[in-house]
Amino acid sequence: MRLLVAIALMLSACAKSELAKHSEIAGRLLEQRGAPDFADASTHEYPAIRHVPSGMLCLLPAEGAFEFDVFPASALNAGAQCSTTSGDTLVAWVAVQFREPTTLDIAFASAVAQLNEGDPNARAWEGEPSAADKSSPEGLPHYRIHRLRSNIGGEDRYLRLAMSERNGWYVQQLVSAPIADATTTEAQAGQTWRTVLREFAAQPVDH
C-alpha cells in the first residue's frame, strides 16, 4: 500500500513538473508578446495559450515559428489568430465573431470559396481522412472539413480547412503542406483539431 502511495505521489510530482515547465513557456511568450485577450492554457501534456473571449486553443510547437495576435480595432469583425510554420508546413487558427449574423454553413462556404481562389483548377484531395476525423464526434460542436489538392506557386499542395461554431464564435483551422507530406499532415491535423475542438466546446464564452 505504501509503495502504491509513493508511486502515486511521484507521478503527481512529475505531472506538476511538466505543467510548470509548460506554463513557464507559455507565460514567457505572453509576457514578451503582450497581446491582450490571451492567457496560459497549458497542461502537463502540452504548452498552450487560449484566446479567452472565443475559447480557441493555440498549441505551442516544439519547434518552428509561432505567431499570435488579436484583430486590430479597425477590423470588420472581432477575432484573433495564431499560426505555426515548420519547414514547408503551415498551420493557422482563426477565431472570428462576425458582426453580421451568419450560420456555420454560410461561413464555411465562404471560406472554401476563398481557398479555391488561389487555384481555379483545385480538386478534392483523394487521400483518407484522419482516424480522428472518422471517429465519433460525440459531445463536440458541429463542424465542417474540406480538403484540397491545389497548385500554389507551381507546387502541388495539400490544403485542409476545418470550421466549427459555438455561441457566435467561429473557429477555423487552415493547414497547408507539400502534397508528398499530405497523409502525415492530415493525421496530425485531425488529432490537433479534436484537441482544440474539445477545449473550444468546454470553455465558457466571455460576452
Side-chain angles (χ1 to χ4, degrees):
M1 182 65 179
R2 289 180 180 177
L3 178 59
L4 292 177
V5 172
I7 292 174
L9 289 174
M10 289 174 60
L11 292 175
S12 176
C14 289
K16 289 181 180 178
S17 177
E18 287 302 308
L19 175 58
K21 290 178 184 177
H22 293 159
S23 289
E24 182 180 356
I25 294 171
R28 190 184 311 122
L29 179 67
L30 289 168
E31 183 178 354
Q32 292 173 349
R33 187 68 174 80
D37 294 339
F38 280 91
D40 177 22
S42 301
T43 70
H44 68 278
E45 296 176 337
Y46 50 73
I49 59 176
R50 176 179 289 110
H51 179 242
V52 177
S54 67
M56 178 180 70
L57 186 72
C58 297
L59 302 175
L60 305 186
E63 58 183 20
F66 177 79
E67 298 288 342
F68 71 102
D69 208 347
V70 296
F71 291 1
S74 59
L76 180 63
N77 303 303
Q81 63 83 26
C82 56
S83 62
T84 301
T85 304
S86 179
D88 290 331
T89 299
L90 169 68
V91 180
W93 296 87
V94 181
V96 183
Q97 188 177 51
F98 294 104
R99 186 172 64 178
E100 297 296 329
T102 187
T103 66
L104 177 59
D105 285 333
I106 292 174
F108 185 68
S110 176
V112 169
Q114 292 178 30
L115 198 64
N116 284 327
E117 288 178 358
D119 177 13
N121 297 316
R123 59 191 185 278
W125 179 60
E126 297 178 352
E128 279 291 313
S130 73
D133 290 329
K134 291 192 290 187
S135 63
S136 172
E138 184 177 351
L140 299 179
H142 293 298
Y143 60 87
R144 307 286 184 269
I145 301 177
H146 187 64
R147 304 169 184 84
L148 284 175
R149 178 170 182 159
S150 180
N151 188 282
I152 301 176
E155 178 190 5
D156 276 345
R157 294 187 68 83
Y158 153 87
L159 300 178
R160 171 189 166 104
L161 173 68
M163 184 183 291
S164 184
E165 182 273 338
R166 176 173 171 270
N167 291 344
W169 278 100
Y170 291 77
V171 165
Q172 174 178 307
Q173 176 197 49
L174 178 62
V175 181
S176 174
I179 198 65
D181 300 333
T183 300
T184 301
T185 303
E186 164 68 12
Q188 294 172 343
Q191 292 177 350
T192 306
W193 173 245
R194 283 306 176 94
T195 299
V196 172
L197 201 58
R198 281 194 297 268
E199 287 291 318
F200 182 52
Q203 294 303 310
V205 175
D206 180 9
H207 293 287

